[in-house]
Amino acid sequence: MLEEARNAPERVRGQLQRNADVLESLGARLREQPPSGAMTVARGSSDHAAAYFAYLCMKHLGIPVASLPPSLSTLAKAPWRLDGQLAVAISQSGQSPDLVATQEALARGGARTLALVNTPQSPLGQASDLEVPLYAGEERSVAATKSYLATLSAAAQLLAYWTRDSDLLAALDSLPECLSRAADQDWSEAVEALVDADRLMVIGRGAGLAVAQEAALKFKETCAIQAEPFSGAEVRHGPMALIEAGYPVLVFAPPGVEQAGLLELADWLGGVGARVLLAADESVAGRHLTLSDAGHEDLQPLSVIQSFYRMAAELAEARGSDPDKPRHLRKVTCTL
């Protein structure tokens, strides 16, 4: 897991170069025939990556994006009517029958279909109008790391070309170096705080909620910790009742418009006795965990999760687990 996470910056560098022409062309086509809405089809880490794509899409383009449960197609046989809409399927393997069947059903319903897949010429890619390779390379660890980061970078590159955002494109050029710096951040304080934990909350907001969801999954997969992700705006609507003295809460607060609210929430959590682990950039004096600035608000989640992956691998080992072989799990999961 750790080796593959450290390999992510070079994989992302190659991906951004190799996909530039195809995504620039796709962005032009989407501007010429803009979809009225979009939907995503994914499972697990890929679904968290889809949430990142959805947030950026809604933020910059103002079109609604929904995550579709595959069972609506595979079990309920929903009568899709999707003319003028875009369906984006995301998968590491591109093999799961429910994703393939759903993409086929959405296409029959009139949607334009796009697949972001790490395994080229996959069944999911063949079921889509266009397959965009992630170029993350073979991932042997069951817990996805570099393929998740590669999905986020592909989504950001697509949105940058689609919206002709020169600032985001320039920041993407520097992203591999940023990810390398992020992988070198020392989060040993989190390892020490969580080595005996059995539950915790992970909090993010905006596009950062997608990496809070991913981090919570990794805590479950690799460390056998019952971790739950929440938006910083949602956590006070009920989940706060769980907080007691010493309850661990990991707060992702990178630079951006969401940061002020997340810092205020972290202060409040500490005031009621939670064991807060605040991840923030150098402008925040009270941070516990360091973040490397990604140079653009939309790319901050990638820096956050890259630093997290190193900590998660170290925490798993400190707890006596093998992060590469989580119990009961397989690399490819086939559901319907």
Side-chain angles (χ1 to χ4, degrees), residues 9-207:
E10 286 308 306
R11 292 295 182 175
V12 167
R13 187 191 308 278
Q15 176 210 69
L16 293 171
Q17 294 170 351
R18 298 170 76 176
N19 279 344
D21 289 343
V22 67
L23 291 181
E24 184 174 18
S25 176
L26 175 59
R29 295 199 301 274
L30 290 169
R31 287 194 305 274
E32 292 168 1
Q33 294 182 298
S36 57
M39 63 219 71
T40 61
V41 181
R43 295 282 196 194
S45 291
S46 293
D47 193 41
H48 304 153
Y52 172 81
F53 165 79
Y55 193 90
L56 294 191
C57 193
M58 291 186 281
K59 172 183 174 181
H60 293 294
L61 293 161
I63 62 173
V65 184
S67 174
L68 295 188
S71 62
L72 285 172
S73 297
T74 60
L75 301 180
K77 309 298 182 184
W80 296 115
R81 293 179 290 177
L82 302 171
D83 289 343
Q85 299 197 45
L86 176 69
V88 181
I90 301 174
S91 175
Q92 201 283 132
S93 69
Q95 296 182 36
S96 189
D98 57 350
L99 302 186
V100 176
T102 296
Q103 192 77 326
E104 291 172 342
L106 300 180
R108 289 194 299 270
R112 286 178 282 173
T113 54
L114 167 68
L116 303 179
V117 187
N118 193 39
T119 305
Q121 299 179 331
S122 66
L124 184 61
Q126 293 169 6
S128 305
D129 296 327
L130 177 65
E131 178 186 67
V132 176
L134 296 176
Y135 294 118
E138 181 185 3
E139 201 165 43
R140 291 170 294 160
S141 174
V142 170
T145 53
K146 61 182 181 178
S147 64
Y148 178 78
L149 282 160
T151 308
L152 299 193
S153 60
Q157 189 179 33
L158 170 57
L159 267 296
Y161 280 122
W162 188 350
T163 60
R164 291 185 283 196
D165 187 332
S166 58
D167 290 339
L168 181 52
L169 286 170
L172 283 165
D173 287 340
S174 303
L175 179 60
E177 288 75 17
C178 167
L179 292 178
S180 293
R181 293 192 301 271
D184 289 335
Q185 302 303 305
D186 181 4
W187 283 22
S188 56
E189 182 173 345
V191 175
E192 294 168 4
L194 300 174
V195 68
D196 294 319
D198 58 5
R199 56 181 180 156
L200 78 152
M201 289 184 187
V202 188
I203 296 175
R205 196 171 183 192

Side-chain angles (χ1 to χ4, degrees), residues 201-204 249-253 262-263 265-266 269 276-280:
M201 289 184 187
V202 188
I203 296 175
V249 183
L250 175 57
V251 180
F252 294 147
L262 289 165
L263 296 180
L265 176 62
L269 286 164
V276 177
L277 293 164
L278 175 62

Side-chain angles (χ1 to χ4, degrees), residues 254-271:
V257 295
E258 300 89 4
Q259 187 181 65
L262 289 165
L263 296 180
E264 187 274 333
L265 176 62
D267 285 342
W268 187 89
L269 286 164

